[in-house]
Amino acid sequence: MNKILLYFSIFIIVSCSTEKKIAPAYKAGVVITFDDDYVQEWYDLDAAMHKYNWKATFCVCYIDSLNAKEIGQLKKMQAKGNEIAGHGYEHENARMYVSKKGLAPYLKNEIIPMENAFRKNGLLLNSFAYPFGANTPGIDKALYKHFKMLRRTYSTSKRMKDNTCFFSGNSKTVTGLGIDNSYQHYDLDFFLKILNYAKRNNKIVILYAHKPVQKVTGSYQVDYKTIETICKYVKENNMQFYTLSELHQYLPLNKK
């Protein structure tokens, strides 16, 4: 074979084999997540939001305390395209727990039992939301071996450029914006501005709440009006609903 042709062939083979896989492009949208163990309320909300063709991620703690009816409801929600994610076996603050007792006990007592409980109840487990949003880079690194995606929380800013509730496309840890009515930063118009910014800049917004209710009577509650306004905006503006673990497919190959 001609030497020039041989060298060219080797160059093509090496180039193709070392080329990094480019993550698929994503469409502007939203990841709506809910924390704790309000299974009946989540189940009712899922039925009410069905008209928007939505899907959400429900992050469960205390799973071994749930009754058969609640486990059945979670399985039905998962079968419809929602994600059932982890929120700790005993809802421990990971940062405080690891600081006091170490990483290995945290995994042994908070993560492994949760994984076993999901498996025992026939539920898939691909993502994890930190209770109290309390993470560290070291805990993240350990949990990357267990989950496709992790979600933490942060205190929001009314200045759009300071907000970090958008999927960056380069990390398995994402940051959620709280939308419970009791939060000091609660402002439905502001949430719509966040969505509008995402639409104009082709971004995915990460949101989190706790207990959905028709009428708010306490902390850690979000009213139906808030959820429905968000869903209506997403639907009318041709944006997309994502589950938390679906973001994983949009990470570069070397991040998987």
Side-chain angles (χ1 to χ4, degrees), residues 40-241:
Q40 183 64 59
E41 289 82 1
W42 296 343
Y43 188 77
D44 293 340
L45 178 70
D46 183 49
M49 297 300 116
H50 178 72
K51 59 186 176 183
Y52 296 106
N53 196 30
W54 91 323
K55 55 185 169 182
T57 301
F58 300 93
C59 309
V60 187
C61 55
Y62 306 120
I63 187 167
D64 271 340
S65 298
L66 301 180
N67 59 41
K69 177 184 176 182
E70 291 169 324
I71 293 296
Q73 289 174 326
L74 290 177
K75 293 173 78 169
K76 288 178 182 178
M77 291 161 63
Q78 192 172 74
K80 289 171 61 178
N82 298 292
E83 179 175 2
I84 309 302
H87 195 45
Y89 189 64
E90 293 289 344
H91 200 262
E92 294 283 358
N93 182 310
R95 189 186 305 142
M96 292 177 60
Y97 194 105
V98 171
S99 176
K100 293 179 179 179
K101 300 182 180 181
L103 179 59
Y106 174 74
L107 296 174
K108 179 181 178 181
N109 297 317
E110 185 71 358
I111 300 301
I112 303 302
M114 178 184 64
E115 292 177 319
N116 291 338
F118 266 73
R119 190 178 303 111
K120 176 185 68 177
N121 287 293
L123 291 164
L124 299 175
L125 178 60
N126 290 314
S127 301
F128 179 76
Y130 284 99
F132 313 103
N135 74 310
T136 69
I139 302 173
D140 283 356
K141 185 177 180 180
L143 294 190
Y144 287 162
K145 299 176 183 178
H146 295 258
F147 307 106
K148 289 183 176 181
M149 296 297 298
L150 307 175
R151 197 218 71 211
R152 59 186 178 184
T153 64
Y154 81 114
S155 297
T156 188
S157 170
K158 290 299 180 72
R159 293 200 305 172
M160 195 66 63
K161 68 177 183 178
D162 294 334
N163 285 285
T164 58
C165 59
F166 303 106
F167 175 57
S168 66
N170 60 16
S171 175
K172 292 173 70 172
T173 301
V174 296
T175 307
L177 167 66
I179 57 173
D180 284 342
N181 294 63
S182 58
Y183 289 140
Q184 287 186 341
H185 65 257
Y186 177 87
D187 183 340
L188 189 50
D189 288 337
F190 174 66
F191 299 156
L192 292 178
K193 289 179 182 178
I194 288 277
L195 290 171
N196 181 259
Y197 179 84
K199 181 187 72 172
R200 290 187 288 106
N201 293 277
N202 200 51
K203 293 181 177 292
I204 299 175
V205 185
I206 318 299
L207 305 175
Y208 76 94
H210 291 83
K211 182 179 181 180
V213 295
Q214 293 289 351
K215 183 179 180 180
V216 172
T217 58
S219 300
Y220 299 106
Q221 297 179 1
V222 59
D223 61 13
Y224 269 52
K225 177 184 176 182
T226 298
I227 301 300
E228 186 149 19
T229 299
I230 290 170
C231 289
K232 185 177 180 181
Y233 185 95
V234 171
K235 181 85 175 207
E236 290 180 348
N237 287 274
N238 196 32
M239 297 170 72
Q240 186 164 326
F241 292 102

